Amino acid sequence: MEIGAQLYTVRDFCKTKPELLESLKKIADIGYKNVQVSGVCDYEPKWLADALKETGLKCVLTHIPPERIASDTLAVVMEHDVFRCRNVGIGYYEVHKDGVEAFYEKFAYAADTLRRGRKQLCYHNHDHEFMKLDGETVLKRLADRFTPEQLCFTLDTYWVQAGGADPVWWTDFLSERVPCVHLKDMEYGRKMAPLGKGNINLDGVIAACERAGTEYLLVEQDDCYGQNPFDCLKISYDFLKSRGF
């Protein structure tokens, strides 16, 4: 497994392309080799490819508008080819409002098209996927409705625990379907925290990711509560280095 940084953590410093490039340099200086591109300014695929080459980073996952994935899939494939990213992510979707079957009908063709283009559709959870419908969580219903070839999951440790579930159990349950995992820690009071500063069983999660065939552990902290987010990313990086990464 490799580690990386989710740019959503530093989104306030990525509002223009010069700011985004500077943020990529800072993340590379911390020691990260991989990034997820999410929550940043608009960019041209070639510009991003050049920025990644300049900073020595690799983009391993994106979050882009779900409507684009569903309606402009071939363009999404070609854009991701330019900056050599395989994993195409849905960052937020309230599946429970429309229903799992409606979500399937909307994205199944896109998922198949992405796969033919050597890409992978990845669904990122929040806590609402752990509400139960007729005794089963929305996340399990999604996993059952799509084949593993159609849909993978970017499991988010903070939001799993916030949903009243166990990140280790869900990583094991989704084995071979979690190429990327969002590593987040949680303090008392549901506060997000740098890795190692909260109470999530991160060592258990890392071991489960190894069992599950996860390729990338992506550090994310949506809210740094006034701390410099680059400092938070450095604390998390040091934690992972202490675990042998």
Side-chain angles (χ1 to χ4, degrees), residues 180-200:
C180 303
V181 166
H182 279 180
L183 279 188
K184 294 181 186 174
D185 215 341
M186 180 194 290
E187 294 183 46
Y188 170 75
R190 283 179 50 133
K191 285 184 64 177
M192 295 180 180
L195 301 185
K197 301 299 183 182
N199 297 310
I200 289 180

Side-chain angles (χ1 to χ4, degrees), residues 151-200:
L151 187 66
C152 286
F153 296 87
T154 303
L155 203 66
D156 187 302
T157 56
Y158 172 92
W159 289 115
V160 174
Q161 191 143 318
D166 178 3
V168 173
W169 188 94
W170 276 95
T171 305
D172 283 329
F173 178 76
L174 295 171
S175 184
E176 306 302 328
R177 297 182 74 170
V178 280
C180 303
V181 166
H182 279 180
L183 279 188
K184 294 181 186 174
D185 215 341
M186 180 194 290
E187 294 183 46
Y188 170 75
R190 283 179 50 133
K191 285 184 64 177
M192 295 180 180
L195 301 185
K197 301 299 183 182
N199 297 310
I200 289 180

Side-chain angles (χ1 to χ4, degrees), residues 69-98:
I69 295 173
S71 64
D72 204 11
T73 318
L74 286 175
V76 169
V77 169
M78 290 187 288
E79 290 165 5
H80 283 65
D81 278 341
V82 173
F83 51 89
R84 299 182 180 181
C85 178
R86 178 172 184 263
N87 298 301
V88 180
I90 296 174
Y92 185 87
Y93 204 98
E94 294 186 345
V95 177
H96 59 283
K97 290 189 174 180
D98 295 330

Side-chain angles (χ1 to χ4, degrees), residues 100 137-148 151 153 170 173-174 177:
V100 170
T137 64
V138 172
L139 195 63
K140 184 177 185 302
R141 284 175 173 265
L142 279 174
D144 289 344
R145 186 64 184 91
F146 287 84
T147 68
L151 187 66
F153 296 87
W170 276 95
F173 178 76
L174 295 171
R177 297 182 74 170

Side-chain angles (χ1 to χ4, degrees), residues 4-11 32 36 38-39 61 63 91 124-126 154-159 181-186 192-195 217-224 229 232-233 236 240:
Q6 217 294 43
L7 293 184
Y8 189 77
T9 307
V10 296
R11 61 195 179 278
Y32 291 103
Q36 175 184 340
S38 174
L61 174 65
H63 281 170
H124 170 264
N125 69 279
H126 288 79
T154 303
L155 203 66
D156 187 302
T157 56
Y158 172 92
W159 289 115
V181 166
H182 279 180
L183 279 188
K184 294 181 186 174
D185 215 341
M186 180 194 290
M192 295 180 180
L195 301 185
L217 301 176
L218 300 171
V219 176
E220 182 181 32
Q221 190 173 337
D222 305 22
D223 194 335
C224 295
C232 292
L233 286 176
S236 294
L240 290 171

